[in-house]
Amino acid sequence: MNMGITIRRLTNVFIALLLIISGVAAYVQISDQAFFNGPPLSTGPYNAIGQCPPYNAPIRGTIYDRNGLKLAWSVPDSQAFCGYKRMYADPTLAPLLGYFSYTYGTAGIEATYDDQLSGLQHGVTIQNVAQKLLHRPQYGEDIYLTIDERLQQYANQVYDQKALHYTGFCQPAGTNPPGGLIVENPNNGEILAMVSRPYYDPNRVAAGDTKYFQSLQADPNAPLTNHTTQITYVPGSGFKTLTLLAALDSGKVALDKQYDQNTAIYFTVNGEHINWIDKLNGQWSALQFPITLQDAFAYSDNSVFAREAVGVGADQWLSYARKFGISTPGQGMPDTKAVPFDGLQTQSTAFSANTNGKPTDFNDNLLAESGFGQGQLQITLLTMTEMTSAIAANGLLYEPHVAWKIVPHGTAASDILPTAPTIYGGGPVIRPETATAIRKAMWAVTSYGTANTINDPTTGQHLSQTGVFEGGKTGTGETGIGASANATGGKIQGWWNSLAPDDQAPGGAAAKYVIEITKEDVSSDYDNDGACQVFVADHTYQYAMQHNIGY
């Protein structure tokens, strides 16, 4: 009997030792550590430049568009460094997606969502344990973007073609200027297309093509930088929208306020003359006075908007700039962060922190210049998208985003809910009635204002006749003075900020889309270069509406 007890005890000891050894072995295999919080046993972290991932690292997740079309994925390749290569389907998305390279690291969305795609920063799950013990491949999570690749391709194509029908009039002959285009659903913040020019071939970067990468770094047009979110521009008359918004929302004026000829044409502030003479010497020489504030917006009257900015006052005008995440870096000014975006972005600024070596004084002169879109303003296309989207959505600003769903490998995308839209600030940034009034003014731009200067080069139709009901604001930014280091200096920048449908148009309805366009170094022969982009937007709207994209 004593012998039987002894055998049972020895058996239990051996079983316990076997379980301990098995547990340690499993821990080492799963955690890649010999002891808790110990150093990795395999060589090199997954994302270290020039090093391969651990032997048991997950295969990098795939990036899809909203319809499940592959945009970026990893494939085995015995000739590739580390045995895998990253593949990209659409180079026009390179400034947004970025790249994953064992030579150059990560950029863009590949960097923003590296934790999810790499699958290495999440805690060990039961599924991971099982996969490792069974020596099955592991995968990072997949990312489904809000981007619709069909619309992306169309917008990229039309960015070149439509304005080129006016070669030499709208932009220099034989050129495709750098710049960008954004299509957004203003009712949830989803970015449906994002064109940044120039773009590059991410496959060559992922493959470690040193000569090619160095050429991209040396290119003065900055193809590695997203021109829609990372480069700031002088917004020109497109920024009159903020002045109109501040004046209306603060109750300083109404849209039907009238200006006689002298008031509409001339304005002087502290000895500086800001006169509106361009259109009066052109096709609008027969303009009848008085004109209203709506007319001044439609005709893009610099004098009126310089006057109204000063009337609003610097503190209040800047407070409205901050509502859209625009930095006001003056002494004693509130610290403002950019509106959140899940890609890379540069924050827009209302003025420079320093002027001539001293802190900038945002006086009435600088306020007046800023009121019609000049001054020291440095604004991204993304910021202008946010402003127009808030107007389209009755004062609600939804945070822009490109990640639609994050899906574990092997899970059906239909089983995962889309990213919930987030209202910036938790409530309206402007009153609904202010948004309605601005949409009315934007339709005036289309029906008889600055967007009424050219017809569709394809059909001959006027912008108000295409059935899109597109309202907006043209802009021409003049750079070279006070431009920031990352802005393109000494160039004319054409803008078109728009929404559609515009419910203030006869037959219009609630806005479904916002399209923002800017092109750098457009022709200075035509002083309203933003109008040249209205049909780039209009054809893109038509495509989105015909295919019900994003809905």
Side-chain angles (χ1 to χ4, degrees):
M1 182 165 179
N2 289 338
M3 182 61 70
I5 293 174
T6 301
I7 292 173
R8 285 196 299 274
R9 288 176 176 173
L10 286 173
T11 300
N12 291 336
V13 170
F14 282 123
I15 291 173
L17 288 173
L18 180 61
L19 290 174
I20 292 171
I21 293 171
S22 298
V24 171
Y27 177 80
V28 170
Q29 183 175 2
I30 294 167
S31 68
D32 195 34
Q33 297 172 329
F35 51 87
F36 182 69
N37 279 340
L41 297 177
S42 54
T43 57
Y46 182 43
N47 224 14
I49 297 176
Q51 297 187 32
C52 293
Y55 76 96
N56 59 352
I59 298 171
R60 193 169 184 82
T62 299
I63 301 176
Y64 298 91
D65 86 333
R66 66 186 302 119
N67 300 310
L69 185 67
K70 276 186 179 182
L71 299 176
W73 66 99
S74 297
V75 296
D77 185 348
S78 59
Q79 301 301 314
F81 186 64
C82 300
Y84 279 89
K85 65 179 179 181
R86 196 70 168 163
M87 301 291 293
Y88 296 91
D90 181 5
T92 73
L93 282 169
L96 172 64
L97 292 186
Y99 51 79
F100 172 84
S101 168
Y102 293 112
T103 305
Y104 302 112
T106 58
I109 294 301
E110 289 271 29
T112 302
Y113 289 97
D114 184 57
D115 286 356
Q116 292 82 355
L117 290 164
S118 68
L120 287 183
Q121 302 301 319
H122 304 291
V124 176
T125 66
I126 298 299
Q127 182 181 8
N128 286 341
V129 172
Q131 298 298 325
K132 287 188 175 184
L133 288 176
L134 295 172
H135 297 283
R136 293 175 178 170
Q138 299 174 82
Y139 295 87
E141 292 177 297
D142 298 328
I143 307 292
Y144 284 73
L145 300 183
T146 58
I147 297 290
D148 189 298
E149 178 64 2
R150 298 170 299 171
L151 184 62
Q152 175 72 20
Q153 287 293 320
Y154 186 84
N156 178 67
Q157 178 185 13
V158 80
Y159 180 92
D160 289 342
Q161 291 183 344
K162 297 305 171 188
L164 289 179
H165 285 276
Y166 291 106
T167 298
F169 179 65
C170 281
Q171 59 195 53
T175 64
N176 292 320
L181 179 154
I182 295 177
V183 185
E184 183 186 271
N185 181 340
N187 302 302
N188 56 21
E190 292 179 1
I191 302 293
L192 302 174
M194 182 175 278
V195 174
S196 174
R197 291 297 190 90
Y199 48 83
Y200 61 94
D201 184 354
N203 292 296
R204 295 181 65 178
V205 176
D209 188 331
T210 301
K211 186 176 181 180
Y212 180 66
F213 191 73
Q214 290 175 343
S215 72
L216 296 177
Q217 291 178 310
D219 191 330
N221 288 321
L224 291 170
T225 304
N226 191 332
H227 286 235
T228 68
T229 65
Q230 292 179 274
I231 290 186
T232 59
Y233 301 97
V234 178
S237 293
F239 214 71
K240 288 172 181 170
T241 304
L242 183 90
T243 301
L244 179 63
L245 179 154
L248 293 174
D249 203 64
S250 62
K252 298 287 186 180
V253 295
L255 206 57
D256 59 359
K257 179 180 177 180
Q258 295 190 341
Y259 306 84
D260 61 26
Q261 184 168 342
N262 186 67
T263 306
I265 297 176
Y266 305 108
F267 179 61
T268 301
V269 54
N270 296 328
E272 179 182 359
H273 301 289
I274 300 173
N275 300 332
W276 182 51
I277 59 174
D278 50 351
K279 302 310 174 196
L280 293 179
N281 291 333
Q283 62 265 42
W284 293 330
S285 57
L287 192 64
Q288 296 296 310
F289 291 96
I291 63 172
T292 65
L293 181 57
Q294 174 180 300
D295 297 331
F297 188 78
Y299 298 139
S300 207
D301 184 333
N302 288 351
S303 299
V304 164
F305 280 87
R307 183 185 300 276
E308 292 304 337
V310 173
V312 169
D315 290 344
Q316 197 156 43
W317 191 90
L318 290 172
S319 74
Y320 277 94
R322 286 190 290 269
K323 286 177 179 286
F324 298 96
I326 299 171
S327 173
T328 53
Q331 291 182 339
M333 294 282 185
D335 182 24
T336 303
K337 294 183 178 179
V339 176
F341 171 63
D342 56 353
L344 300 178
Q345 69 167 316
T346 298
Q347 186 173 13
S348 297
T349 57
F351 55 90
S352 304
N354 295 287
T355 302
N356 298 325
K358 298 179 180 180
T360 298
D361 175 19
F362 195 77
N363 55 31
D364 280 352
N365 295 77
L366 190 50
L367 172 60
E369 295 167 4
S370 303
F372 64 90
Q374 289 293 139
Q376 296 179 353
L377 288 163
Q378 289 295 308
I379 308 297
T380 65
L381 193 67
L382 182 65
T383 295
M384 293 305 298
T385 302
E386 292 158 357
M387 192 182 303
T388 307
S389 291
I391 293 164
N394 280 323
L396 293 176
L397 171 52
Y398 289 91
E399 294 179 5
H401 59 280
V402 293
W404 192 44
K405 296 181 179 183
I406 299 176
V407 181
H409 182 77
T411 302
S414 58
D415 292 339
I416 304 297
L417 293 175
T419 301
T422 302
I423 297 175
Y424 179 63
V429 292
I430 56 175
R431 295 180 292 125
E433 51 268 37
T434 299
T436 300
I438 296 174
R439 293 196 300 272
K440 183 179 180 182
M442 293 175 92
W443 179 248
V445 173
T446 294
S447 59
Y448 63 85
T450 56
N452 185 35
T453 57
I454 58 177
N455 292 341
D456 189 322
T458 304
T459 66
Q461 287 182 309
H462 181 272
L463 187 63
S464 64
Q465 300 170 330
T466 65
V468 169
F469 303 107
E470 175 184 356
K473 181 70 188 79
T474 56
T476 304
E478 299 179 10
T479 70
I481 300 176
S484 68
N486 72 332
T488 49
K491 298 179 179 180
I492 299 296
Q493 297 159 350
W495 290 78
W496 175 239
N497 315 311
S498 65
L499 53 83
D502 189 328
D503 64 350
Q504 298 305 297
K512 295 178 64 176
Y513 303 103
V514 160
I515 295 180
E516 302 286 326
I517 303 170
T518 188
K519 289 187 179 181
E520 305 168 23
D521 200 19
V522 293
S523 173
S524 59
D525 295 335
Y526 181 50
D527 63 0
N528 187 29
D529 303 282
C532 293
Q533 312 312 322
V534 299
F535 289 107
V536 175
D538 202 69
H539 283 255
T540 306
Y541 280 124
Q542 290 182 46
Y543 186 92
M545 291 175 179
Q546 288 167 4
H547 295 83
N548 202 34
I549 287 175
Y551 289 88

